[in-house]
Amino acid sequence: GFARMHVQRTWEGIMNAPVSLEDVVLAEWIWAASKSLLSGTAILLVALALGLSQSWTMALIVPLAFLIGLSFAGMGLVMTAIAKSYDFFTYWFTLVLTPQMLLCGVFFPIAGLPSWVQAIASALPLTHAIAIGRPLFLGQWPQDGWLHAAVLAAWGVAGFAIALRLLRRRLLA
């Protein structure tokens, strides 16, 4: 999105047509989530081909990948809105994404972390994505799955709304 907005100036060309900034940002948000869907599907097919799991619940990972994509695309659009150059994205990866992977149960259980760290991790979207995805992959039904999905959706919608406001200020001012 940043390259299309800042470097290639594709967004400027699109907005010369009868579309609004909201349309462009919505399209970027959906496109990013669609790429997540495609990647998640590819990984799922590889897992099936390797025989890592044979549960029918794995099929639910496909729509989950789209929801996770919406969540992280919203946050990514916020970063796109405030980034001045590509270098800014190193802060995003170093200060936001890497700590999420370490705190949210990707590599080790959250239960082993101090309670204050668990409280922080429970607010992060990756924790909720793992809380749904890991059980589905293992053939189990996630506990409080709808709550976790609602949190992911809330992160996505909030990110989209904040990004839209920031992009309006940046591009239409």
Side-chain angles (χ1 to χ4, degrees), residues 133-171:
R134 186 170 282 146
L136 290 175
F137 186 79
L138 297 174
Q140 303 162 359
W141 195 250
Q143 186 176 3
D144 298 325
W146 291 110
L147 172 67
H148 296 299
V151 171
L152 286 170
W155 270 97
V157 170
F160 174 79
I162 293 167
L164 188 57
R165 184 175 183 162
L166 292 170
L167 285 163
R168 261 193 215 116
R169 194 175 328 158
R170 180 174 180 172
L171 298 175

Side-chain angles (χ1 to χ4, degrees), residues 18-38:
V19 296
S20 65
L21 178 63
E22 291 82 3
D23 296 331
V24 174
V25 176
L26 179 65
E28 282 290 336
W29 189 47
I30 300 297
W31 173 237
S34 298
K35 290 189 286 186
S36 176
L37 175 84
L38 294 171

Side-chain angles (χ1 to χ4, degrees), residues 18-144:
V19 296
S20 65
L21 178 63
E22 291 82 3
D23 296 331
V24 174
V25 176
L26 179 65
E28 282 290 336
W29 189 47
I30 300 297
W31 173 237
S34 298
K35 290 189 286 186
S36 176
L37 175 84
L38 294 171
S39 297
T41 302
I43 292 169
L44 184 64
L45 292 173
V46 169
L48 284 170
L50 294 175
L52 296 177
S53 180
Q54 300 298 324
S55 173
W56 68 270
T57 58
M58 285 179 65
L60 297 174
I61 291 175
V62 174
L64 175 63
F66 187 77
L67 180 60
I68 294 168
L70 287 174
S71 176
F72 281 89
M75 293 185 292
L77 283 170
V78 170
M79 294 300 110
T80 295
I82 60 177
K84 301 292 185 222
S85 70
Y86 283 114
D87 296 331
F88 181 82
F89 291 100
T90 31
Y91 298 119
W92 166 247
F93 285 104
T94 304
L95 300 174
V96 177
L97 293 181
T98 301
Q100 267 193 85
M101 287 193 303
L102 296 173
L103 297 177
C104 294
V106 173
F107 303 113
F108 48 85
I110 296 172
L113 299 172
S115 59
W116 66 273
V117 176
Q118 289 180 31
I120 293 169
S122 69
L124 299 173
L126 189 56
T127 300
H128 300 281
I130 291 167
I132 299 172
R134 186 170 282 146
L136 290 175
F137 186 79
L138 297 174
Q140 303 162 359
W141 195 250
Q143 186 176 3
D144 298 325

